[in-house]
Amino acid sequence: MTAYRNAIQLGDWIVTTDNSGGIGEKTDDLVAVPDRITARFATRVALLEQWAAGAEPEAVLLHNFSGDASWDRYCDGIRDVFDEIGVVSPPISGSSETNMSLSQSAVAITLMGRQTFDSNVLDGIWYTYGTPLVGEEVLTRESEIASLASLDKARRNGLIQRIWPVGSSGILAEWQAVTGDTTCVMASPLDVTCSAGPSTVVLLQINPSQLAETNHILGTSLRALE
């Protein structure tokens, strides 16, 4: 099985990143949302990829192409993610493009973390948690999004063996990446081919003996992969 999703390991350090373009507060953006929300969801993806690699973030790099006015709003969105899981945000640094004014918003958020546990346990059963959502659905159906706070509680309690966030390629493509089998198929009540946007659904590996306790934390949206 693949060890990491979109991460680079540099010694004990794990580096993950996510970006958004055409999503924000500029007139020509394709999706109109506050910059704070754009940054929150980009940070969410990078954090999930930290967890997928068994790491905890210790620093944030913000790459802001939307202009100086967006910097503080992006920082607020980054901090919202860490507020959600009840920890202090790591220090934020980075850069803003101020020489050129772009017609659409663009931002990238990179997390640097230290590997703290081995996430390559292979004896559990895999489940989906959350619903694949993209675009406006992310805002209108937020209750269906995999909860970072619940995931963090479950993993800190030792209930999750592995986390694998799902992105724009969809559940099936991510499952094929995890298993290394590009021919495998699955049965699910969810649409396994549609985009999950900012990782609104994740794959989780859970020991069956701990499923009841995990369900108590994550709720009823855990669905076993078949």
Side-chain angles (χ1 to χ4, degrees):
M1 285 191 171
T2 302
Y4 302 142
R5 191 174 180 264
N6 295 333
I8 292 177
Q9 184 171 11
L10 302 172
D12 291 336
W13 289 95
I14 296 291
V15 182
T16 62
T17 193
D18 192 60
N19 59 74
S20 293
I23 302 173
E25 300 184 17
K26 289 182 177 288
T27 303
D28 291 337
D29 282 335
L30 301 177
V31 179
V33 297
D35 289 337
R36 183 170 185 164
I37 291 178
T38 304
R40 176 162 68 92
F41 282 114
T43 307
R44 168 194 175 85
V45 174
L47 176 62
L48 285 168
E49 289 173 350
Q50 287 280 316
W51 290 351
E56 300 289 347
E58 294 188 9
V60 183
L61 293 176
L62 170 57
H63 315 271
N64 168 31
F65 298 92
S66 304
D68 268 344
S70 297
W71 178 268
D72 287 341
R73 297 193 289 265
Y74 285 150
C75 287
D76 287 340
I78 292 168
R79 295 187 186 102
D80 285 342
V81 170
F82 293 96
D83 286 345
E84 183 179 347
I85 61 174
V87 301
V88 176
S89 171
I92 303 170
S93 186
S95 177
S96 295
E97 171 58 76
T98 57
N99 292 312
M100 300 292 180
S101 179
L102 305 185
S103 61
Q104 292 182 315
S105 300
V107 63
I109 294 169
T110 299
L111 299 185
M112 299 182 65
R114 289 198 185 270
Q115 201 165 32
T116 58
F117 62 93
D118 181 5
S119 61
N120 197 28
V121 182
L122 306 177
D123 60 349
I125 295 175
W126 284 88
Y127 297 81
T128 60
Y129 170 53
T131 302
L133 303 170
V134 68
E136 297 290 341
E137 292 177 329
V138 176
L139 302 178
T140 60
R141 298 168 62 182
E142 194 162 356
S143 63
E144 300 177 48
I145 296 174
S147 164
L148 290 180
S150 297
L151 282 171
D152 192 45
K153 181 177 180 180
R155 72 188 191 93
R156 290 186 184 279
N157 287 348
L159 301 177
I160 296 174
Q161 295 177 342
R162 291 190 70 191
I163 297 176
W164 191 275
V166 177
S168 58
S169 57
I171 294 171
L172 177 58
E174 297 288 2
W175 178 237
Q176 291 173 342
V178 170
T179 61
D181 181 358
T182 59
T183 65
C184 69
V185 296
M186 64 171 60
S188 173
L190 302 174
D191 185 338
V192 298
T193 61
C194 74
S195 170
S199 297
T200 59
V201 61
V202 298
L203 304 179
L204 301 177
Q205 190 180 37
I206 300 168
N207 187 319
S209 67
Q210 297 176 306
L211 181 59
E213 189 178 355
T214 308
N215 263 321
H216 180 71
I217 295 175
L218 299 183
T220 58
S221 62
L222 277 178
R223 302 174 178 90
L225 294 180
E226 300 178 3

